[in-house]
Amino acid sequence: MDFLKILGIKEKNFGTSTGINWNNTKNQGELKIYSPVNGKYIASVYLSSQKDYDNVIKTAQNAFEHWREVPSPQRGEIVRQIGLRLREFKEPLGNLVSYEMGKSLQEGLGEVQEMIDICDFAVGQSRQLYGYTMQSERPMHRMYDQYHPLGIVTTISAFNFPVAVWSWNAMLAAVCGDVNLWKPSSKVPLSAIATQNIIKDVLKKNILPEGIFNLVIGRGSTIGEKILNDKRIPLISITGSTNVGRHATEVVSKRFGKTILELGGNNAIIVTPDAELKTAITAIVFGAVGTAGQRCTSTRRVIIHESIYNKVRASILKAYKSLKIGNPLNQNNHVGPLIDVSAVNTFSEALKLIKKEGGKIIYGGKVLSGKGYGSGCYVEPAIAEVKNHYSIVQEETFAPILYLIKYKGNVDNAIKLQNDVVQGLSSAIFTNNLREAEKFLCAKGSDCGIANVNIGTSGAEIGGAFGGEKETGGGRESGSDAWKAYMRRQTNTINFGTELPLAQGIKFDI
């Protein structure tokens, strides 16, 4: 395929990069990558060794010594050039993301656009790393706070967003003066390698040292555990399951490191009698089947008022019957494959549990086979009528299963149902009733990190801080003031007088 050649993806690729140079280790095993689109072999990656990892960390430490002294606007200029470079390779990289991961081509291209957008955002942020000046209680004193870079910031990204989440972290960390280490999912390493190839020329053109943007592809049991335990890494951003996040937090906190966690989601859309249904149905369907239900912000639950339940149910069913499932590189298709056969098995097992608990599958659920479905990764998105308290509904199944839940009475009851799960990432309400909308957004409303009115749960803009509460993890990435997570805060007080008055009026005479 032409896009592989354009992106520098070879039949066999090395798995460690310091941004400019690649290692040549071949004795740690070879990761073979097959596309979920058609089951065909794409390429392989030689896994990194522990020696490779240690060399990358040392190189990154040395690069940080230089990078942190570069003025932030100049660091922003490098990020600006990376954004321009990504624009040149948007189409081939978007194709690779789609082919390697299985999301639609539109979503693949959109993911690369997200990288470009965060570069633009970070360039502006490079001139706005603001601190506050506070009024001192002591005469002839000035007090203020400022922010300094942390050091090596590590991004552990998941398969469903092979490149975008890395850019959220790496670009903001870069303008903050940090260097980045990237450990991508072993299911989609080629997109990460391609990204390193794209930005390499920017680093060389600007005569920058190795180690500002680093890549390590290795087993979680070896390289992953080294990262978690490494005191040289002050901050790790982790996207993954709740269990992964729980383990990582325990390990990293023991060494007093910091984490940004983006874990499970069990996102709901509330549909009230005052909703604009046409808009709501579009948001529900895209949220449920986009990326084949493999987004942390995918719509899992729809909580519908009993007075409009049958009408909404019928509209969703009609929309699902019009969905086209197939090769995601064909832009006529709405739904592509799941990431692998293991994900298909999880999908099928979840449907069995729904029935066992008393739920009813009202649409879909088939594993598709035959022409065009040879990879074994295609399924028919499912819709189920359930109760919110079912154990399977309380979990996040990373697959296209949409739960329909009926509520009675006022919107307070719907909000209670929405919040009655352990996850707290994204949420939405469809209503034209101002009081319902404001109640949803107030302190006793949605308990999620993201709460939307008249838009769905999926497809957040980069301008807002992204992240969730409860077992979704903690911390924020991307927009707003999320940049502060990548820096250490320092409070400074300057005495420009000739006396030494103490705070709180304390007297100490010698």
Side-chain angles (χ1 to χ4, degrees):
M1 293 185 172
D2 289 344
F3 59 80
L4 295 175
K5 184 176 181 181
I6 292 170
L7 295 168
I9 301 298
K10 303 172 183 176
E11 184 178 348
K12 296 179 181 292
N13 303 271
F14 292 111
T16 311
S17 169
T18 54
I20 295 175
N21 293 312
W22 293 84
N23 72 327
N24 56 8
T25 299
K26 294 184 178 180
N27 61 2
Q28 296 299 303
E30 193 174 351
L31 189 63
K32 295 186 177 181
I33 307 302
Y34 296 85
S35 172
V37 173
N38 52 23
K40 292 184 179 179
Y41 171 76
I42 307 175
S44 69
V45 181
Y46 292 115
L47 296 175
S48 304
S49 67
Q50 293 194 24
K51 183 178 179 181
D52 292 329
Y53 171 80
D54 289 329
N55 287 337
V56 164
I57 292 294
K58 290 176 184 177
T59 303
Q61 285 181 305
N62 291 334
F64 176 62
E65 296 292 321
H66 164 79
W67 188 240
R68 66 182 176 182
E69 294 189 4
V70 175
S72 182
Q74 291 184 27
R75 298 193 294 253
E77 169 58 21
I78 302 303
V79 171
R80 187 187 71 84
Q81 292 180 35
I82 290 173
L84 292 176
R85 190 79 173 148
L86 287 167
R87 283 174 170 85
E88 295 177 30
F89 289 87
K90 178 179 175 178
E91 187 172 344
L93 185 56
N95 273 271
L96 175 58
V97 167
S98 178
Y99 189 60
E100 185 180 28
M101 185 268 152
K103 62 175 58 178
S104 73
L105 180 56
Q106 278 297 309
E107 291 182 85
L109 294 170
E111 186 167 345
V112 182
Q113 185 61 50
E114 196 166 336
M115 300 173 79
I116 294 166
D117 292 344
I118 200 68
C119 286
D120 289 350
F121 182 91
V123 172
Q125 193 69 72
S126 69
R127 294 181 181 270
Q128 300 181 81
L129 304 179
Y130 297 137
Y132 291 103
T133 297
M134 290 76 73
Q135 296 300 313
S136 175
E137 67 183 70
R138 291 170 283 185
M140 305 193 78
H141 281 61
R142 181 165 67 90
M143 184 166 56
Y144 67 97
D145 59 24
Q146 62 178 336
Y147 294 83
H148 297 301
L150 287 172
I152 302 173
V153 170
T154 294
T155 306
I156 299 178
S157 58
F159 75 85
N160 58 332
F161 280 88
V163 291
V165 173
W166 166 80
S167 68
W168 293 359
N169 290 277
M171 296 302 106
L172 284 179
V175 299
C176 290
D178 300 311
V179 297
N180 187 261
L181 173 64
W182 185 8
K183 183 186 179 301
S185 167
S186 60
K187 296 181 180 182
V188 288
L190 301 178
S191 294
I193 291 171
T195 300
Q196 289 288 106
N197 288 338
I198 289 169
I199 68 175
K200 176 180 177 180
D201 287 346
V202 173
L203 304 178
K204 291 179 70 175
K205 176 184 174 182
N206 288 275
I207 318 177
L208 291 171
E210 294 185 70
I212 297 174
F213 297 103
N214 305 278
L215 177 69
V216 175
I217 298 170
R219 296 183 178 89
S221 58
T222 53
I223 299 300
E225 288 302 311
K226 283 185 72 70
I227 289 172
L228 298 181
N229 285 281
D230 198 330
K231 293 183 178 180
R232 297 169 293 182
I233 299 175
L235 174 66
I236 306 176
S237 169
I238 302 171
T239 303
S241 69
T242 298
N243 287 336
V244 167
R246 183 177 288 113
H247 170 68
T249 302
E250 291 173 356
V251 175
V252 176
S253 63
K254 284 181 181 179
R255 61 174 178 84
F256 296 99
K258 300 177 181 179
T259 55
I260 299 173
L261 301 175
E262 201 287 277
L263 310 176
N266 198 344
N267 316 296
I269 292 178
I270 296 171
V271 185
T272 82
D274 288 316
E276 171 54 59
L277 292 186
K278 182 179 179 182
T279 308
I281 298 303
T282 301
I284 290 166
V285 176
F286 173 74
V289 306
T291 323
Q294 297 171 115
R295 289 189 180 210
C296 51
T297 56
S298 290
T299 304
R300 309 289 176 197
R301 298 173 294 146
V302 186
I303 301 169
I304 310 162
H305 193 270
E306 61 178 351
S307 66
I308 57 170
Y309 181 84
N310 289 337
K311 184 176 182 180
V312 173
R313 178 186 186 274
S315 296
I316 294 173
L317 280 168
K318 181 180 179 182
Y320 265 60
K321 290 174 183 177
S322 70
L323 292 175
K324 295 177 181 178
I325 305 167
N327 188 325
L329 294 171
N330 180 345
Q331 297 194 57
N332 291 320
N333 292 326
H334 301 102
V335 185
L338 293 176
I339 185 64
D340 53 27
V341 173
S342 176
V344 173
N345 293 336
T346 299
F347 170 80
S348 298
E349 287 301 312
L351 295 178
K352 292 178 183 177
L353 288 172
I354 291 168
K355 295 176 183 177
K356 184 177 180 180
E357 292 196 70
K360 181 181 180 182
I361 310 299
I362 62 172
Y363 183 83
K366 297 176 184 176
V367 178
L368 302 177
S369 59
K371 186 177 180 180
Y373 304 127
S375 67
C377 298
Y378 290 86
V379 302
E380 190 177 35
I383 305 172
E385 292 181 311
V386 299
K387 301 292 186 182
N388 197 66
H389 66 266
Y390 291 174
S391 60
I392 187 62
V393 177
Q394 291 286 310
E395 299 174 7
E396 178 192 42
T397 301
F398 222 54
I401 302 175
L402 181 65
Y403 300 122
L404 304 187
I405 300 167
K406 189 183 296 184
Y407 81 94
K408 299 179 180 180
N410 62 29
V411 76
D412 293 338
N413 297 325
I415 293 171
K416 184 177 179 180
L417 284 170
Q418 182 214 271
N419 292 345
D420 192 22
V421 292
V422 296
Q423 307 86 356
L425 179 53
S426 187
S427 59
I429 187 171
F430 276 82
T431 180
N432 287 326
N433 184 313
L434 179 62
R435 288 175 176 167
E436 288 182 334
E438 289 295 335
K439 186 170 283 189
F440 178 75
L441 298 176
C442 78
K444 67 176 183 179
S446 170
D447 63 2
C448 296
I450 299 169
N452 299 326
V453 176
N454 294 333
I455 63 170
T457 63
S458 189
E461 297 181 37
I462 59 96
F466 183 89
E469 303 296 328
K470 301 192 291 187
E471 289 192 8
T472 293
R476 295 295 186 268
E477 297 173 318
S478 191
S480 187
D481 65 347
W483 62 271
K484 292 179 179 178
Y486 306 98
M487 306 193 82
R488 58 182 176 89
R489 186 171 185 161
Q490 185 180 80
T491 301
N492 308 111
T493 307
I494 301 170
N495 179 359
F496 55 93
T498 58
E499 303 294 328
L500 189 65
L502 301 177
Q504 294 83 47
I506 295 173
K507 302 294 184 183
F508 183 76
D509 296 321
I510 54 173

